[in-house]
Amino acid sequence: MSWFAALRDTARTGLTLDRALTDPKRAARGAVAVAVVLFPTLALGGVGLATSAAMGAFIAGAATFQRSFRPRASLAVAAGAGLGASTFLGYLAAGVTGLFPVLLAVWAFGAGLAWAIGPTAGVVAANTVSVMLIIVQLPVSALAAFGHGLVAALGGVVQAVVITLWPIGSWTAQRDALADTYAELADYARRLRQDPTAHLDPAPFMTARSAAALTPWQDRHRPAELRGLRGIAERVRPTLAALADPKVGAPEEGPERDRAREVLAASAEVMDALARAIRTGDPVRLPSSAPALTLVGSEDGPRLQGAARRAARRLGGLLRKAADTLDRSDEDTITTPVAGAGGALHRPSIGRMLPVALRTVRRQLHPRSAVFQHTVRLAAVVTLAYVLARLAGFHHGYWAPMTAAMVMRPDFAQTYSRGVARLAGTVVGVSVSTLVVQLAHPGQWVLAALAVLCIGGSYLAFRTGYALTTVGISSYVVFLLGLQAGNPLETAFERVGMTLLGGSVALLTYALFPTWQTARLGERLAEWLAAAGRYAAAVIACYEQPAQPRERTVRSALLDSREARAELIQAMQRADAEPGRHASGLAGVSRRQIDRARAAIGHLGRAALLLEAHLPAADADPVPGAAEYAEELRLATALAAGALLTGQPVEFGAVREAQARLEERLAQAPAGVQRDVVVAGTRLVEVALRDLERALRGSSEGR
């Protein structure tokens, strides 16, 4: 993609507005919390303290709108604490000549590192930089600095109190995540009717797992129907695939295939009903086409045989268990997770997360880390914009570094799309709000009311688009700072000019010192290959030692594979928006080869999925040779990942030899479903590995 096309597309993305709105009740609640802080502080403490308190309440409220499954009140308190610290230190540094730029650089560096913890932490940390710049303008005493920091933190506390006293959709995010999982399973079942080898999108499962990790308080208060259903969904996933696959399930054609399609269709309708019940909290209403979930065992029509019959029976049992779980939750009789549905996931409190966060950040402190590169870039750009604005002599020069802090992101697409949206939104917001002030000459109480209305509008527009949100935020800041003396027109011109300066510096710096995701695709591909190999090996090893508990090993390997795949997909999506033609990071590996290799690794994961659906019971007969084959597969995929990174040829001859030995041993073993499943599954693995070899053939030439 050319630079012109990349800039055009990112600009279009930044200026695109959706019709979706944030929940009006939640937007009103956030605005009310700002008002509760702003008006009393304005009456009792004056304009300066009111500005600090209102900015603290606004940013703390904005933190509660970020995508997170933590209690909103705790997010508000954490954001308020960070804002209080940044305000206090900023005011102290402003009283010492030359110290504030140093503090700004250090704080921006820390804000950039917060992206290692997650997007929510990164956004909130960037906001603390902007607040430090907005409300720190004149040197004050240490005692006054402490007061400003305290009222900024008070804004977060008030947001938390209002959220607690006015709960709105407390479990909506968790319900939606779990319901989306069942909806995806229903859609997957329908696709399998037409395409027996269709792939399942694991993203809803990853989101549901994140939503299922609860703090102790959440665990005590969560609705009963949110217990156990995620574990059932995880077991339904491989069972659907095993039923539909012609290699280990129903035959490709004939009466059994028709019967399998009937089972899949009925399952899809049942899972749609489960999704609706989870999302709304209403009792589950099963469709008339699947009464009592009698999906298997009917004497009418053809019957499934062998592995397909076992998969169908398991599917029916799992769906009945899910429906029973919802039915019992309506009677408030469930107090513990469903047996066999997986253990509870515990989310540590924000205080206990500090050591974990520090370890996560420490792992990013190396030059090749995208987060570290973003951190250095953010600190340099914010400090440079601040110094340039100060040298130019502008009184409102803080808008330049504030814009840079809010625009910079770890990737090209977000930085440029947000940059364009920020520039456009600021120009419109500042122009309109300044015109209102110039024509109406409102008093300080009217200005405060207008500020609250604007913040409510920006909360409401969070889902509409960043450009419209910026209009509301810019107007809010203009009205809030309009409480202080100054020429509105002169101030408006300075703010627009400084916004253009800060945005331009940010975008130019990213162009000169970029972090291209395209250059990281090879690393992400190698990580997924190794993770997918560990998952397949963990599943296959279970067949030789069925009595030995391996559920945690299989589960851990599956989660690693999902995470690695998600990181690759995210990197590819970001790379598609980048300009130019950048090397993949592995000489000789083209984007087409990476796409084909990705498909082959996906087939490897699907083979493991089918084998997981038929994991033997503890009393099942062992499959001799499965553990040896699994170890060869794990080692070969790990070596292939290393070869991919170092430029060596990728080959799986050792796995093919291990498969030949496995089939020789199985030929002498008694016939059975387990043996047939292992043979069919390992042959699918062989096909996937051959496809991977072909996809990467020639990738090491010329190295």
Side-chain angles (χ1 to χ4, degrees), residues 636-637 639-640 643 648-656 689 693:
T637 49
L639 292 175
Q648 302 300 316
V650 173
E651 61 89 22
F652 297 99
V655 178
R656 284 189 285 272
L689 297 182
E693 286 178 333

Side-chain angles (χ1 to χ4, degrees), residues 206-229:
M206 298 177 67
T207 304
R209 177 177 172 80
S210 179
L214 307 175
T215 62
W217 184 92
Q218 287 178 307
D219 191 37
R220 290 192 301 270
H221 295 85
R222 64 173 165 174
E225 61 268 28
L226 297 184
R227 298 176 183 267
L229 286 173

